[in-house]
Amino acid sequence: MSSRTDATSPLEPTHGSGQAVRAGVVTAVVGFTSSFAVVLTGLTAVGASAAEAASGLFVLSLTMGLGSVLFSLRTRTPVTLAWSTPGAALLAGAVAPDGGYATAVGAFVVAGLLYVLTGFFSPLARLVRAIPLALANAMLAGVLLVLCVAPFRALVDEPTAVGPVLLTWLVLMRVARRWAVPGAFATAVVVIIVTGSLSAVEAADVVPHLTWTTPGFDAATVLAIGVPLYLVTMTSQNIPGAAVLASFGYDAPLRPVLLYSGAATAATAGLGGYSINLAAISAALAAGPTAHPDPDRRWVAGVSTGATYLALGPLAAAVAAVAVAAPAGLVAAVAGVALLGTFGSAAASALGDEGHREAAALTFVVAASGVAVAGVGAAFWSLLAGGAYLLLMHRRRPSP
């Protein structure tokens, strides 16, 4: 039996756990401040009002915080959950559904149910793994491209507002990469204060609240949003998240996480909970040696991460209110620089595989085009185009 299962009770104090607690706080603060703008942008793009987007940020923080605490305590490993940043980026690049935000909520429910089915049925998980990673990353990179160029377009239109944000991000990328996006957000807040934009924020706007939207179901919206959301979250978050934990010697409880995250997503979709999943981008902060020298003590960082997310949740309304009051292009600039690293990784993975390079390139350009046919957006058509190209090119030619 491993030493992790022989360790002391998770409710007993552990010697020297302060480092792990601090690591968990950093993990949550960096994760929240680095990508909340993407979440708000994504929910707004599919029709959510400011109140509905704030509700989504709130409930996501609560469900992923609770999951991080429960799984870390139960498994004695630093299991951290997160909202799907690639999924939020997908929403931000999607076409607003004809049926309004309610049908987008219905698509979130479908994505959640697909996570649950994947947890129950191994064949579905194998089917997802069979999708060439190059195509999934090409779809993600194509969607992200539009968002990543937004800061530089905004710089032309609002140089005095966006310029300081980009400069702060660039300097911190050189001296403290982990804090580059949070620093850019802090600078954006200063810009908002200096420009007097906060005068538009009223006291009632910063009170945390949950807003319910009854799901509506539409086949085109499920294809345009629900299925791509499921695929991009599985391939860019859940599967890589399990790999990150494995790289540090931990067995990821992927099936229980899929069941929890799927059920939580389906249950809270009406409140804006579009998707939670096993953390991938930020997982190493809590699972690596910087969290604690002793791997048997790093579970404390997972609990601390979850507790910090729970504490940050009530701030969602205030964050959303400030974002709404911000000068044009400012939030898009923060979201864009937050996604540059993800875009680079996705593009490199997509085009680095010579065997799938042409199919990935086709997938990428279709996704980046933003084309919509019959109400179904580019993300779905890009995967269809890349998959069809692969089938055609690899089909055996008849013997002469």
Side-chain angles (χ1 to χ4, degrees), residues 6 29 34 49 51 56 78 99 131 145 164 237 297 325 328 337 399:
D6 291 336
V29 170
S34 294
S49 66
I131 297 173
L145 178 63
Q237 292 284 142
R297 294 287 183 261
V337 296
S399 301

Side-chain angles (χ1 to χ4, degrees), residues 273-287:
Y274 70 94
S275 180
I276 60 169
N277 43 252
L278 192 62
I281 300 170
S282 61
L285 296 176

Side-chain angles (χ1 to χ4, degrees), residues 166-247:
L166 296 184
L167 181 60
T168 301
W169 169 79
L170 185 61
V171 171
L172 288 176
M173 282 293 289
R174 177 66 178 86
V175 300
R177 293 178 66 91
R178 180 185 300 175
W179 297 100
V181 176
F185 167 63
T187 302
V189 171
V190 172
V191 170
I192 292 169
I193 294 172
V194 171
T195 57
S197 300
L198 281 183
S199 60
V201 178
E202 299 180 359
D205 296 332
V206 302
V207 177
H209 58 274
L210 295 174
T211 302
W212 175 260
T213 301
T214 301
F217 295 93
D218 172 70
T221 306
V222 168
L223 287 177
I225 295 176
V227 173
L229 176 61
Y230 162 74
L231 291 175
V232 78
T233 300
M234 286 297 302
T235 57
S236 300
Q237 292 284 142
N238 284 316
I239 294 174
V244 169
L245 285 176
S247 71

